[in-house]
Amino acid sequence: MGRGDLTNAEWDRLESFLPRGGARGGRWSDHRRVINGVLYRVRTGVQWRDLPERFGPWETVYKRHRRWSADGTWAMLLSKVQAAEDSAGGIDWDVSVDSTAVRAHQHAAGARKAPPRGSSKGGRPGDEPGGSGTTETGRPAGGGGQIGECLGRSRGGFTTKIHLAADGRCRPLALVLTPGHYGDGPQLEPVLELVSVPRLGVGRPRTRPDRVLADKAYTSRKNRRYLRRRGISHVIPERLDQRRHRHNRGSRGGRPTGFDRERYKKRNTVERAINRLKGFRAVATRYEKRAYIYLGTVTLAALTIWLRT
């Protein structure tokens, strides 16, 4: 077993959820070897062609990662691991939300505006995550230039932004990609809508945190109304300009927002989750042209964090 490969305990947690069979009734290459190859690339950021020979043909490793990024297999595995943690009471539901900008490599530019569909390697778009794999999955909707592939210009240059919600143990619960120049505040709702941890027994997935912590970028009235409507307690500081505006309006300005300074200190958990994600070099720098493949890379990094925490 090489450095960074799945341990026996980690493999045992994933093996039963992996797809059976291969294209047109064929056999998959060994799942464990291929996943270790993808992990090696995500951890080191090397080019796919430079993968060590012990992982098998690089094309097999890359195509498996591309397929599982497209059909949601990586996201399904992350959901299964989260469900097992929640059933054991291992999730701290004081959820923090934040974002981080990721510099895009020059090779991330140049994706075609309309990805090809229906080719012999594209298959049907209706494949289920973790299914039998009788056909290659179709690529998700994308294209549309740089914005469609979540690439934008910000003060950091050519960037993609990762918006995430993290539990109280510094593990990502939900991930959203946007171009680098998009603001943080409007993404609070999309991120929290993706928080969904299934139950191992009977019952609907858990989607509502006990509390949400966020910085001043998320302090809009729209976000506060959304959280109140869902019955979620929140700790978000009010900006000075909002405070002055409320005072200037007098009684029409409404009551001051509640703010628990001691609880707010716990918001550093999302910063630490971001640091863990960026410990993976293929997350810290985006090399993929397609947003869905990069999201698969970030999801696999998040899955690894959950397995090893």
Side-chain angles (χ1 to χ4, degrees):
M1 186 177 72
R3 178 172 175 261
D5 288 356
L6 292 173
T7 65
N8 291 334
E10 292 164 357
W11 172 246
D12 290 340
R13 296 178 67 181
L14 298 179
E15 184 179 13
S16 61
F17 305 123
L18 295 173
R20 308 291 180 183
R24 294 186 177 89
R27 296 180 59 189
W28 289 101
S29 296
D30 180 61
H31 278 322
R32 186 170 184 176
R33 183 179 67 174
V34 172
I35 293 175
N36 284 334
V38 180
L39 281 174
Y40 181 89
R41 191 265 173 178
V42 172
R43 181 172 59 85
T44 62
V46 300
Q47 295 188 11
W48 289 103
R49 293 174 183 268
D50 294 332
L51 283 176
E53 294 182 358
R54 66 187 179 92
F55 300 120
W58 71 267
E59 298 97 331
T60 300
V61 181
Y62 166 69
K63 289 179 180 177
R64 189 78 55 84
H65 176 55
R66 184 185 67 185
R67 177 193 176 98
W68 285 1
S69 298
D71 70 5
T73 299
W74 293 130
M76 177 271 295
L77 293 175
L78 177 60
S79 179
K80 296 292 186 183
V81 172
Q82 290 174 344
E85 281 290 309
D86 189 43
S87 68
I91 296 182
D92 182 344
W93 283 97
D94 279 359
V95 172
S96 301
V97 179
D98 206 350
S99 73
T100 183
V102 174
R103 187 67 182 264
H105 193 270
Q106 60 184 0
H107 294 166
R112 286 183 291 184
K113 291 188 177 181
R117 291 180 176 273
S119 66
S120 60
K121 296 183 180 180
R124 299 196 304 257
D127 284 356
E128 295 296 327
S132 63
T134 55
T135 60
E136 280 288 334
T137 184
R139 299 185 176 113
Q146 293 182 3
I147 299 300
E149 298 298 345
C150 298
L151 291 166
R153 298 284 179 180
S154 68
R155 285 186 294 179
F158 196 42
T159 53
T160 292
K161 190 172 280 189
I162 304 173
H163 304 264
L164 71 154
D167 79 332
R169 297 182 61 190
C170 311
R171 299 173 298 186
L173 283 168
L175 301 159
V176 170
L177 298 185
T178 66
H181 60 280
Y182 277 31
D184 292 353
Q187 305 307 319
L188 176 72
E189 185 173 342
V191 169
L192 293 181
E193 289 294 325
L194 288 180
V195 174
S196 180
V197 177
R199 312 281 187 179
L200 291 187
V202 178
R204 292 178 295 179
R206 175 160 184 176
T207 60
R208 190 170 64 180
D210 291 334
R211 187 173 288 98
V212 168
L213 298 89
D215 61 21
K216 293 180 181 179
Y218 300 90
T219 189
S220 68
R221 291 184 176 182
K222 179 182 177 183
N223 286 340
R224 293 183 187 274
R225 283 197 299 266
Y226 167 75
L227 293 169
R228 284 196 297 268
R229 186 171 67 249
R230 292 192 59 189
I232 301 173
S233 300
H234 54 277
V235 181
I236 305 175
E238 189 179 27
R239 293 199 311 264
L240 289 177
D241 61 327
Q242 290 180 324
R243 195 178 306 168
R244 283 196 300 266
H245 181 63
R246 178 168 48 79
H247 281 300
N248 291 339
R249 296 189 66 190
S251 60
R252 293 179 301 160
R255 292 176 297 177
T257 59
F259 179 68
D260 189 330
R261 191 174 299 275
E262 287 301 314
R263 286 192 181 275
Y264 186 69
K265 293 178 180 179
K266 194 177 180 180
R267 197 193 65 83
N268 69 81
T269 55
V270 68
E271 305 286 356
R272 289 151 61 192
I274 289 171
N275 286 340
R276 287 183 176 182
L277 281 175
K278 286 193 167 181
F280 297 85
R281 290 174 178 260
V283 174
T285 301
R286 173 177 170 174
Y287 299 99
E288 289 84 356
K289 296 180 186 296
R290 296 295 181 195
Y292 76 89
I293 300 179
Y294 181 63
L295 180 59
T297 298
V298 181
T299 303
L300 178 57
L303 172 63
T304 306
I305 291 171
W306 277 87
L307 288 173
R308 296 175 179 176
T309 301

